[in-house]
Amino acid sequence: EPFDMINKFGADTLRLALVSIASPDKDTIWDEKVVLGSHKFLEKVFDYFSNLNLGKSDMVIENKLNKTIKEVTEDIDNFKHNIAVIKIRQLFESFEEKQIDKKIAENFLKILNIYCPYITEELWEMLGNKSFISLSEWPKAGKIDENLLKQGELIDKIVGDINNILKILTSKGEIKTKVKIFSIPNELKIYENGVKEIEKRVNLKVEVLSIKDASSEKKVIKAKPNKPGILLE
């Protein structure tokens, strides 16, 4: 069984790596880094679904799934498999630290199945399905709320920015327990609504303020559209 699983990982890894670097209008140049990256990605997917604790998905994830299904379907029809793989990986990254429901789990595996048939078949069975994933219908995209997607992207971006700053500060031995986010007025509500999610993902107390309140701080803080000011304390 362990040897069989290694073979499945190997076959799917090579297939995913090949389509990741292949382009209909360019020569394919083999890159070992792509193979290693593909293997690492599939390990993450397998670990996530092997330990999956199903729950209620948020609306942002549902919208991202619908948009990914729509775009990946078009990319496959146009032989843009390398672009399709990027979007599938981005979708996984958007929920790998969250709970998802069974429908989203199944639809994700369905769109990944075209490139990784062995691993997805294994994970499909783990979800309790009796039939083969290869015999299931290709998922259809539901409604897409672009405003909700933008909100999700802004939250993802601010979380990434905060975590990057934390890594730098931690490497210097500096410990922070709170982060202040200074937003332009038009985006203030987005960050206020996302406080709980941001706190959970950065493991810090979060306070959202208007950039107008930054004048009371000792440091110069600036904010632009899609890029709020960040102050760690």
Side-chain angles (χ1 to χ4, degrees):
E1 180 64 30
F3 180 76
D4 188 42
M5 199 63 239
I6 291 172
N7 286 339
K8 291 175 182 178
F9 260 105
D12 281 350
T13 294
L14 290 176
R15 185 181 288 104
L16 190 65
L18 281 170
V19 295
S20 295
I21 58 178
S23 178
D25 56 348
K26 294 180 181 178
D27 293 333
T28 299
I29 301 176
W30 187 251
D31 189 340
E32 289 184 4
K33 291 181 180 179
V34 176
V35 178
L36 293 174
S38 297
H39 182 73
K40 187 176 180 180
F41 168 69
L42 292 183
E43 279 189 326
K44 285 184 178 181
V45 171
F46 194 84
D47 288 344
Y48 177 86
F49 280 89
S50 296
N51 301 287
L52 186 59
N53 180 21
L54 293 172
K56 185 177 180 181
S57 301
D58 61 49
M59 292 299 295
V60 173
I61 297 300
E62 289 185 22
N63 272 271
K64 285 184 178 179
L65 173 69
N66 289 331
K67 186 172 184 179
T68 302
I69 291 172
K70 178 179 180 294
E71 293 183 350
V72 165
T73 302
E74 293 172 353
D75 289 335
I76 292 172
D77 288 342
N78 292 311
F79 301 100
K80 296 179 180 179
H81 296 287
N82 56 329
I83 305 299
V85 168
I86 291 172
K87 292 172 182 175
I88 291 172
R89 293 180 66 154
Q90 289 174 339
L91 173 62
F92 176 73
E93 289 169 1
S94 72
F95 66 71
E96 66 175 319
E97 296 179 355
K98 302 179 181 180
Q99 280 191 323
I100 56 174
D101 58 36
K102 189 176 182 181
K103 182 180 178 182
I104 288 181
E106 289 180 340
N107 282 339
F108 172 78
L109 291 178
K110 285 180 181 180
I111 58 176
L112 180 61
N113 174 258
I114 189 172
Y115 303 117
C116 305
Y118 298 113
I119 291 175
T120 50
E121 201 69 71
E122 190 100 4
L123 297 175
W124 181 257
E125 185 178 342
M126 287 184 187
L127 287 175
N129 294 293
K130 302 300 180 183
S131 61
F132 295 110
I133 189 173
S134 56
L135 299 178
S136 63
E137 291 185 0
W138 184 259
K140 295 180 180 179
K143 292 182 179 180
I144 301 170
D145 186 332
E146 292 292 346
N147 289 328
L148 195 60
L149 280 175
K150 182 183 178 182
Q151 292 177 31
E153 289 170 358
L154 288 178
I155 297 300
D156 287 343
K157 187 176 185 303
I158 191 70
V159 167
D161 290 344
I162 293 170
N163 281 330
N164 286 335
I165 295 172
L166 281 173
K167 285 180 182 178
I168 296 172
L169 295 178
T170 301
S171 68
K172 296 179 180 179
E174 297 184 35
I175 305 299
K176 303 296 180 180
T177 59
K178 181 179 179 180
V179 58
K180 290 182 179 180
I181 297 173
F182 294 89
S183 168
I184 62 172
N186 289 349
E187 296 174 356
L188 190 61
K189 204 68 178 177
I190 293 175
Y191 296 107
E192 288 177 341
N193 292 338
V195 164
K196 288 185 178 180
E197 181 180 350
I198 298 171
E199 286 182 335
K200 183 179 179 181
R201 293 171 65 182
V202 303
N203 199 29
L204 293 176
K205 181 67 178 176
V206 174
E207 183 179 3
V208 176
L209 302 161
S210 170
I211 189 61
K212 296 177 182 178
D213 300 319
S215 58
S216 62
E217 301 293 337
K218 295 179 181 179
K219 296 183 178 181
V220 176
I221 300 170
K222 298 180 180 180
K224 299 187 292 185
N226 302 336
K227 193 171 179 61
I230 299 172
L231 178 63
L232 282 89
E233 298 178 337

